[in-house]
């Protein structure tokens, strides 16, 4: 039996019964789409359609459509790749790590955070594939497949190959974890539905019968998947950071990148969860389930991870000075005072200064302030990846090779495409799947003799 302190704010407000939880969440799936949902979905689909023009142009003409040059071979593409991978980090942390630590406040937000993870990883994976130029000819060479060319294998010493393994594993485990959590809720909708809807959700629920043994297996599988997913929270962005840390480029060649990238990923991931949850709770009228308490706790995580990121920025400068390597020192001075100074100071303002506003409870518990700052944080994290990648490449060891990067319409358009894809998928998920985990939310309702079981 769960015992909740009488002085602690309840995780679900409004005196909800089990029936209320089922009704409030299932009505979004069972009812007709609202005008606001249609407007949001059509906007996302429109952005997706516009972005697809740039994507098709890139696939047809090649990556010469982008603003890359012989000095800056990575720019917006890899910036966006790392940014989207970071966005997907909070879902696994909320689902797996907080589950293992028995943090009950995760129950209202884990479903949407897991969906966000899957959609963000799909968007991230697009960029390395597009970067191949003609992926339909050689994308499969990124995999260690048996072939008829003798001992022609991928380079297992390359962190780019490690990316393939890390991200595919992360996506697979996250997808299974997300779907397993959906099965009891699909069964609830199945039992309330009729006709074709009952058939569809019946197939999706895999014959769930709600028996004690079924619940026991569900709990066991959830814990096993949480145990498998927890190392991925640390490993995926660590391996992404190796793309840079294993090189000899000034500004990249540093051992601080793995913890720095992981903290930054959780930082940006929680910011995106906040952005989506604030919109979702308003549109679907879920204020009793996604409460100010949930928002405040996520803001506290942003304070902690934002402070870690700020310390990492300062440490980078200190190590560059302490190293005594002229090229390393120049790389960091150039970031702050060179042609891309505006990107560096945008990064510092958004990632280091703005999260500290959450120390003030009035700001930390303000919906409007939280929504604005969550957007600011993700803008800042995009600039962080841009600063790391572009400013380290555009002025390297040879002044004769120095160059500038200017994004083209195709760079911007492909980025728009991923935004359109992400939000189109998320809106479809929010309409046709239960956006809150009904089974787990019911487990945190305070005991009461007048609770009506559904």
């Amino acid at each position: 039996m769960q015992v909740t302190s009488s002085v602690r704010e309840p995780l679900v407000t409004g005196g909800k019964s089990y029936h209320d939880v089922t009704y409030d969440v299932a009505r979004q799936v069972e009812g007709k789409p609202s005008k606001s949902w249609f407007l949001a979905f059509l906007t996302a689909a429109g952005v997706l359609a516009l972005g697809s023009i740039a994507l098709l142009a890139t696939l047809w003409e090649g990556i010469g459509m982008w603003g890359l040059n012989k000095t800056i071979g990575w720019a917006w593409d890899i910036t966006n790749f790392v940014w989207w991978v970071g966005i997907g980090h909070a879902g696994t942390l909320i689902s797996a790590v907080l589950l293992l630590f028995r943090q009950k406040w995760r129950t209202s937000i884990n479903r949407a955070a897991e969906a966000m993870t899957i959609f963000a990883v799909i968007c991230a994976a697009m960029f390395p594939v597009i970067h191949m130029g003609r992926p339909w000819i050689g994308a499969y060479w990124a995999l260690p497949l048996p072939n008829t060319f003798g001992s022609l294998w991928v380079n297992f010493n390359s962190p780019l190959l490690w990316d393939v393994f890390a991200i595919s594993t992360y996506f697979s485990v996250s997808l299974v974890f997300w779907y397993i959590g959906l099965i009891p809720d699909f069964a609830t909708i199945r039992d309330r539905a009729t006709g074709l809807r009952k058939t569809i959700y019946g197939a999706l629920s895999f014959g769930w019968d709600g028996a004690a043994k079924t619940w026991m297996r569900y709990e066991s599988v959830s814990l096993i998947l949480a145990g498998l997913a927890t190392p991925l929270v640390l490993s995926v962005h660590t391996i992404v950071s190796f793309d840079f840390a294993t090189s000899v480029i000034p500004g990249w060649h540093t051992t601080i990148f793995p913890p720095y990238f992981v903290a930054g990923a959780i930082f940006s991931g929680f910011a995106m969860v906040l952005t989506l949850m604030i919109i979702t709770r308003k549109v679907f009228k879920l204020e009793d389930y996604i409460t100010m308490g949930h928002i405040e706790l996520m803001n506290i995580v942003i304070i902690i991870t934002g402070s870690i990121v700020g310390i990492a920025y300062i440490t980078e400068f200190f190590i560059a000075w302490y190293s005594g390597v002229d090229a390393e020192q120049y790389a960091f001075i150039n970031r702050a005072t060179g042609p891309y100074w505006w990107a560096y100071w945008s990064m510092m303002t958004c990632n280091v200064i703005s999260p500290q506003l959450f120390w003030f409870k009035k700001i930390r518990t303000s919906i409007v302030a939280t929504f604005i700052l969550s957007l600011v944080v993700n803008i800042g994290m995009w600039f962080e990846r841009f600063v790391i990648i572009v400013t380290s490449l555009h002025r390297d060891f040879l002044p004769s090779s120095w160059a500038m990067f200017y994004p083209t319409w195709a760079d911007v358009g492909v980025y728009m495409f991923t935004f359109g894809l992400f939000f189109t998928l998320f809106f479809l998920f929010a309409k046709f799947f239960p956006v809150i985990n009904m089974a787990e939310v019911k487990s945190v309702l305070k005991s009461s003799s007048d609770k009506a079981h559904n």
Side-chain angles (χ1 to χ4, degrees):
M1 176 181 175
Q2 181 192 351
V3 179
T4 305
S5 169
S6 58
V7 298
R8 181 174 293 172
E9 290 293 326
L11 294 172
V12 178
T13 59
K16 301 292 184 181
S17 67
Y18 293 154
H19 174 76
D20 293 333
V21 174
T22 301
Y23 174 76
D24 290 342
V25 178
R27 66 188 167 91
Q28 311 298 340
V29 179
E30 296 166 345
K32 292 182 178 179
S34 64
K35 290 181 180 179
S36 58
W37 182 88
F38 263 121
L39 179 62
F41 176 74
L42 291 175
T43 302
V47 173
L48 178 66
L50 285 173
S52 64
I53 297 171
L55 177 63
L56 291 172
T58 300
L59 293 174
W60 184 262
E61 299 289 344
I63 60 173
M65 295 287 291
W66 295 349
L68 306 178
N69 52 59
K70 63 182 180 182
T71 299
I72 306 167
W74 285 358
W76 267 48
D77 49 338
I78 306 301
T79 297
N80 297 334
F81 162 68
V82 180
W83 187 77
W84 278 117
V85 173
I87 292 294
H89 246 59
T92 307
L93 183 117
I94 290 170
S95 302
V97 179
L98 298 185
L99 171 63
L100 295 178
F101 281 94
R102 301 300 188 188
Q103 295 297 303
K104 298 294 185 181
W105 63 272
R106 59 178 278 282
T107 54
S108 293
I109 60 174
N110 65 335
R111 173 73 50 73
E114 291 165 15
M116 182 195 77
T117 291
I118 293 163
F119 305 149
V121 171
I122 291 171
C123 293
M126 285 181 51
F127 286 99
V129 173
I130 300 168
H131 201 285
M132 296 176 184
R134 296 291 186 269
W136 57 88
I137 295 176
Y140 61 88
W141 289 110
L143 303 172
L145 299 173
N147 56 77
T148 57
F149 296 97
S151 56
L152 184 62
W153 291 100
V154 291
N155 182 6
F156 288 99
N157 293 322
S158 171
L160 300 180
L161 180 65
W162 306 342
D163 273 349
V164 173
F165 294 136
I167 291 171
S168 59
T169 303
Y170 186 53
F171 177 79
S172 303
V173 173
S174 297
L175 183 64
V176 173
F177 201 6
W178 176 64
Y179 194 85
I180 291 293
L182 278 163
I183 289 175
D185 288 356
F186 281 151
T188 299
I189 296 171
R190 172 202 65 196
D191 295 342
R192 294 164 55 92
T194 57
L196 179 61
R197 184 187 295 271
K198 188 178 185 71
T199 303
I200 293 171
Y201 285 102
L204 291 173
S205 62
F206 286 174
W208 177 274
D209 59 6
K213 183 175 285 188
T214 309
W215 277 110
M216 182 186 71
R217 289 170 177 163
Y218 170 82
E219 295 288 346
S220 299
V221 169
S222 295
L223 285 174
I224 291 168
L225 288 171
L228 290 172
T230 297
L232 292 176
V233 175
L234 302 175
S235 67
V236 172
H237 230 58
T238 295
I239 290 172
V240 170
S241 77
F242 287 167
D243 294 350
F244 312 103
T246 56
S247 72
V248 295
I249 301 293
W252 289 3
H253 186 59
T254 173
T255 55
I256 199 177
F257 267 16
Y260 164 22
F261 269 53
V262 170
I266 296 170
F267 182 50
S268 62
F270 266 85
M272 183 61 89
V273 171
L274 276 169
T275 303
L276 295 175
M277 288 294 92
I278 288 171
I279 296 171
T280 301
R281 78 192 288 270
K282 184 67 176 176
V283 172
F284 290 159
K285 298 179 175 60
L286 297 172
E287 288 88 352
D288 287 329
Y289 301 95
I290 304 168
T291 66
M292 188 51 66
H294 292 94
I295 292 170
E296 186 175 7
L297 286 167
M298 286 191 280
N299 283 338
I300 290 170
V301 174
I302 286 178
I303 294 172
I304 295 167
T305 51
S307 300
I308 294 170
V309 168
I311 291 168
Y313 294 160
I314 297 167
T315 304
E316 280 189 311
F317 262 91
F318 171 76
I319 295 299
W321 166 78
Y322 190 71
S323 70
V325 178
D326 291 338
E328 194 77 22
Q329 291 172 358
Y330 177 77
F332 285 92
I333 293 170
N334 179 57
R335 283 183 184 180
T337 62
Y340 291 110
W341 64 268
W342 51 272
Y344 178 82
W345 291 109
S346 297
M347 172 192 82
M348 293 296 285
T349 303
C350 296
N351 294 349
V352 180
I353 298 172
S354 69
Q356 304 310 315
L357 295 173
F358 284 137
W359 285 104
F360 301 98
K361 189 174 181 67
K362 189 173 183 179
I363 295 176
R364 195 167 67 240
T365 55
S366 166
I367 295 292
V368 174
T370 297
F371 184 73
I372 292 170
L373 287 173
S374 69
L375 294 175
V376 166
V377 165
N378 266 317
I379 291 169
M381 288 308 295
W382 188 91
F383 274 117
E384 180 203 283
R385 279 59 181 257
F386 180 82
V387 166
I388 289 172
I389 293 168
V390 175
T391 64
S392 299
L393 289 175
H394 90 115
R395 290 185 174 177
D396 57 9
F397 297 102
L398 295 175
S400 60
S401 299
W402 289 1
M404 293 289 289
F405 168 77
Y406 300 102
T408 65
W409 71 272
D411 283 300
V412 178
V414 173
Y415 189 38
M416 282 178 57
F417 176 85
T418 57
F419 263 106
L421 178 63
F422 177 83
F423 283 103
T424 299
L425 292 173
F426 188 83
F427 290 137
L428 288 172
F429 153 76
K431 177 64 192 79
F432 296 105
F433 288 6
V435 76
I436 286 179
N437 192 324
M438 291 185 277
E440 293 197 356
V441 167
K442 289 174 183 177
S443 73
V444 300
L445 292 179
K446 286 191 175 183
S447 299
S448 176
S449 59
D450 61 348
K451 287 285 188 287
H453 291 258
N454 180 50

